[in-house]
Amino acid sequence: MESTLKEQIPAGGVEDVYGEDCATEDQCITPWTIAVSSGYNLLRDPRYNKGLAFSERERDAHYLRGLLPPVVSTQELQEKKLMQSIRQYDLPLHKYVAMMELEERNERLFYKLLIDNVEELLPIVYTPTVGEACQKYGSLFKRPQGLYISLKEKGRILEVLKNWPERSIQVIVVTDGERILGLGDLGCQGMGIPVGKLALYTALGGVRPSACLPITIDVGTNNEKLLNDEFYIGLRQNRATGQEYYDFLHEFMSAVKQNYGEKILIQFEDFANHNAFELLAKYRTTHLVFNDDIQGTASVVLAGLIASLKLLGGALCDHTFLFLGAGEAGTGIAELIALEISKKTNTPVEETRRKIWLVDSKGLIVSGRKGTLQAFKKPWAHEHEPVNNLLDAVKAVKPSVLIGTSGVGRTFTKEVVEAMASMNERPLIMALSNPTSQAECTAEEAYTWSEGRAVFASGSPFPSFEYNEKLYFPGQANNCYIFPGFGFGLVMSGTIRVHDDMLLAASEALAAQVTDEHYAKGMIYPPFADIRKISAHIAARVAAKAYELGVATRLPRPADLVKYAESCMYTPNYRSYR
């Protein structure tokens, strides 16, 4: 049965139109475009180009003689050469540009580099470097990647979607560019985020590149600097808001479903708070939607909390949580923690929320402020006298876990960390804001100010740090742990709706990958070097939950979901051509 399923569902979980992955790696495939690609065109087709790795027979069969130097290389040697070249660049942005240029000319080699050197290249193709790339996207822009859907296309979005050459799309990552990382409104230049996220869907999660579609919704920007920038690539107008905005988004969501069907995964990315919650609430019952800023961040942080219990002691319900930041990430994490405690203790979620406190720009969120609070903050307004700043909130609430999602750097001051350390033998401090410059504190500060007792994790990577002759390894609560495997689990099972229980399953699957060896180093996340294996386990747990909830459509269910996930994953090794 398992082999039958594997024949039915090709690698990457999408229809294999050209038989590319139905063949084993030692079988030949045909490099189709609209016609069979050959000669000069083949060398400029990133999906099939192999550069100097074309064999002698392939050079004869596809009219490549004279178009390449005579040497025949290997993919491994190409990888070695390119990594040496990339390492010579001093600036991360230059490395980013080099990687994007490689993706545009040789897709498989790009993913080979990224998969084999994931810990080194992840900060280059995604946070923190992608933030700077988005800020300068207009100047860096050379050729389009993905679809740009602007207000000019109102009433014609379905037609625009049909312009994309691939038909078997399974995952869309879409942004409107209003809240890019911690950098604010970058308008159309936010496209770097969907492009980067989908590269990770392939490299870390195994979704086929041709099944991924990055989209930017351009409704204008309120960033005056961009509007006055001669190289800006988006609409030169202030953002559409209100009914005009929501009507445009509704046309987009309807067109996507009409064009790609019920099982297309739409990941919302870097929408501003006031739109993110409303869009997720509106479409989660009618579409397969996922907001990585709300749900992905929550799931990866919950995984770190579950894993950290081995170091902190006690159960999740024994701890008190204090957040700095009450936006998408903060409230999303808080809600998932409350759901997990509720599930484990059979306590109503309204009661479990009382263990969780949030601080926003006006101070501690308390019941006395309910009249002025946004709707998504109201569940966290507990009975307490007003508290105006974080330090006083720490002293009043006495949390064992401090989580930063504020987007404001250096807000976990020495006094705050020392207060946490004075109340807890092992305080857990999570400075999650991206990029690195916006982190609430550094790993060095957390370890030094807590005299080496803190368990620390951050959103962007920090190097290991030695304190009192002991080496500490900061955890990275990076969404990349969750969303590639989570999305792949939805795709491979044909799931039609996302349920909160799937997010809890993903968190538990990630926490289970932390070993005693990792705990001995103070780590609460497994190393990124194992990310493909981690993603397979997450995908399996998510798919299992989908089957359990009755929302998976790919039947019958595979007997071993982990093996099935591994068998479906895209691999970037070169194929031989007929």
Side-chain angles (χ1 to χ4, degrees):
M1 182 180 290
E2 189 173 325
S3 62
T4 305
L5 278 170
K6 190 174 175 183
E7 291 167 6
Q8 291 172 346
I9 313 301
V14 296
E15 184 182 358
D16 186 16
V17 178
Y18 304 119
E20 180 180 350
D21 285 308
C22 291
T24 58
E25 289 199 4
D26 57 350
Q27 289 179 303
C28 295
I29 63 168
T30 302
W32 291 92
T33 51
I34 294 174
V36 177
S37 189
S38 63
Y40 191 79
N41 289 335
L42 180 56
L43 295 178
R44 270 142 188 80
D45 186 338
R47 186 182 302 181
Y48 296 111
N49 178 32
K50 299 196 288 187
L52 292 176
F54 284 105
S55 68
E56 299 285 1
R57 185 186 59 78
E58 288 169 335
R59 295 180 188 210
D60 286 331
H62 293 283
Y63 308 100
L64 296 173
R65 288 289 174 191
L67 301 181
L68 290 167
V71 71
V72 176
S73 185
T74 63
Q75 192 176 22
E76 290 69 28
L77 189 61
Q78 288 177 316
E79 180 182 3
K80 180 180 178 181
K81 176 184 175 182
L82 278 165
M83 285 306 299
Q84 286 181 354
S85 175
I86 287 168
R87 286 167 181 152
Q88 288 176 358
Y89 290 112
D90 293 326
L91 296 178
L93 185 63
H94 293 166
K95 296 181 181 183
Y96 172 89
V97 171
M99 287 295 291
M100 292 303 104
E101 288 176 347
L102 173 60
E103 184 181 21
E104 290 175 2
R105 69 176 184 269
N106 189 329
E107 184 178 273
R108 285 186 177 268
L109 188 56
F110 169 82
Y111 285 111
K112 179 77 170 166
L113 256 70
L114 188 49
I115 290 169
D116 291 350
N117 305 275
V118 64
E119 289 181 300
E120 181 176 352
L121 293 179
L122 184 63
I124 301 301
V125 300
Y126 202 60
T127 182
T129 310
V130 73
E132 183 183 0
C134 285
Q135 289 176 309
K136 300 175 180 177
Y137 210 76
S139 300
L140 298 174
F141 182 85
K142 293 179 181 176
R143 55 180 289 183
Q145 295 173 293
L147 281 177
Y148 294 84
I149 302 176
S150 76
L151 288 171
K152 290 180 179 180
E153 284 74 57
K154 187 175 181 180
R156 302 170 54 200
I157 293 180
L158 180 60
E159 179 186 331
V160 174
L161 290 175
K162 291 181 182 296
N163 288 341
W164 189 250
E166 301 294 343
R167 294 291 174 257
S168 299
I169 300 298
Q170 290 285 7
V171 183
I172 287 172
V173 176
V174 59
T175 186
D176 70 353
E178 189 169 4
R179 193 200 62 83
I180 298 298
L181 301 174
L183 303 171
D185 186 350
L186 297 184
C188 193
Q189 297 189 172
M191 179 58 101
I193 298 296
V195 168
K197 286 272 180 176
L198 286 168
L200 300 182
Y201 259 112
T202 297
L204 312 186
V207 179
R208 183 198 308 278
S210 60
C212 298
L213 174 55
I215 296 179
T216 288
I217 301 287
D218 187 357
V219 294
T221 178
N222 294 333
N223 186 327
E224 289 297 325
K225 183 177 178 183
L226 289 179
L227 291 173
N228 295 320
D229 183 351
E230 63 178 327
F231 298 121
Y232 180 55
I233 59 176
L235 289 179
R236 294 182 185 274
Q237 66 175 63
N238 288 330
R239 282 188 170 273
T241 57
Q243 199 58 45
E244 182 185 9
Y245 176 86
Y246 286 110
D247 286 348
F248 191 63
L249 264 291
H250 188 70
E251 183 190 346
F252 167 74
M253 296 297 291
S254 301
V256 166
K257 194 171 182 179
Q258 183 177 343
N259 200 46
Y260 297 117
E262 190 81 25
K263 293 179 283 187
I264 178 77
L265 172 60
I266 304 168
Q267 178 171 314
F268 295 124
E269 195 66 36
D270 286 350
F271 284 75
N273 290 346
H274 55 276
N275 292 324
F277 288 101
E278 189 161 340
L279 291 172
L280 184 60
K282 181 175 181 179
Y283 293 108
R284 68 186 305 171
T285 57
T286 59
H287 293 66
L288 182 66
V289 294
F290 171 68
N291 186 304
D292 192 43
D293 303 301
I294 298 172
Q295 297 166 296
T297 301
S299 187
V300 76
V301 173
L302 177 59
L305 292 173
I306 293 170
S308 72
L309 296 176
K310 287 235 180 148
L311 300 174
L312 306 182
L316 210 57
C317 60
D318 299 324
H319 292 272
T320 301
F321 306 85
L322 179 63
F323 285 77
L324 176 64
E328 292 175 60
T331 55
I333 298 164
E335 185 65 19
L336 203 63
I337 294 170
L339 286 171
E340 177 74 1
I341 296 174
S342 174
K343 178 184 167 188
K344 297 295 185 188
T345 61
N346 289 320
T347 306
V349 71
E350 291 78 13
E351 190 173 325
T352 61
R353 287 184 183 131
R354 294 175 189 163
K355 300 283 290 182
I356 304 167
W357 298 80
L358 280 70
V359 173
D360 65 8
S361 59
K362 295 178 175 61
L364 191 66
I365 295 178
V366 294
S367 55
R369 294 178 51 197
K370 269 194 174 179
T372 60
L373 288 173
Q374 295 163 285
F376 61 86
K377 294 182 182 180
K378 288 182 179 179
W380 312 103
H382 309 316
E383 288 293 334
H384 199 284
E385 67 273 9
V387 177
N388 295 324
N389 60 70
L390 177 62
L391 179 58
D392 288 343
V394 169
K395 292 175 180 177
V397 173
K398 295 182 170 50
S400 49
V401 179
L402 180 63
I403 300 174
T405 61
S406 64
V408 182
R410 302 299 183 268
T411 41
F412 289 174
T413 61
K414 184 171 186 283
E415 292 75 21
V416 168
V417 174
E418 286 177 344
M420 285 292 296
S422 70
M423 301 169 190
N424 304 281
E425 181 60 32
R426 299 295 305 273
L428 175 57
I429 296 173
M430 306 184 86
L432 302 180
S433 294
N434 289 316
T436 311
S437 60
Q438 305 304 114
E440 285 77 10
C441 70
T442 66
E444 179 179 345
E445 289 166 346
Y447 293 130
T448 303
W449 294 337
S450 67
E451 298 177 337
R453 291 187 284 117
V455 178
F456 178 81
S458 57
S460 290
F462 282 101
S464 57
F465 175 68
E466 186 173 345
Y467 180 81
N468 278 355
E469 300 181 354
K470 181 178 178 181
L471 195 59
Y472 294 84
F473 294 86
Q476 187 184 357
N478 194 318
N479 294 26
C480 299
Y481 276 117
I482 290 289
F483 76 81
F486 185 85
F488 189 58
L490 300 175
V491 168
M492 78 177 199
S493 59
T495 297
I496 57 172
R497 297 290 179 270
V498 172
H499 193 282
D500 285 336
D501 282 353
M502 298 174 190
L503 297 168
L504 298 178
S507 299
E508 291 164 3
L510 176 55
Q513 298 300 308
V514 184
T515 66
D516 289 338
E517 180 185 350
H518 303 143
Y519 285 125
K521 297 177 180 178
M523 297 167 64
I524 57 174
Y525 291 99
F528 256 110
D530 301 328
I531 189 61
R532 297 270 283 196
K533 173 191 160 197
I534 294 166
S535 291
H537 281 271
I538 290 172
R541 288 284 287 274
V542 170
K545 185 58 69 174
Y547 283 109
E548 181 187 323
L549 295 170
V551 292
T553 63
R554 189 153 284 143
L555 300 171
R557 169 182 164 157
D560 188 328
L561 283 167
V562 175
K563 283 186 178 177
Y564 180 65
E566 291 172 341
S567 74
C568 287
M569 282 183 163
Y570 167 85
T571 55
N573 298 329
Y574 285 151
R575 310 301 296 271
S576 296
Y577 301 150
R578 294 185 181 91

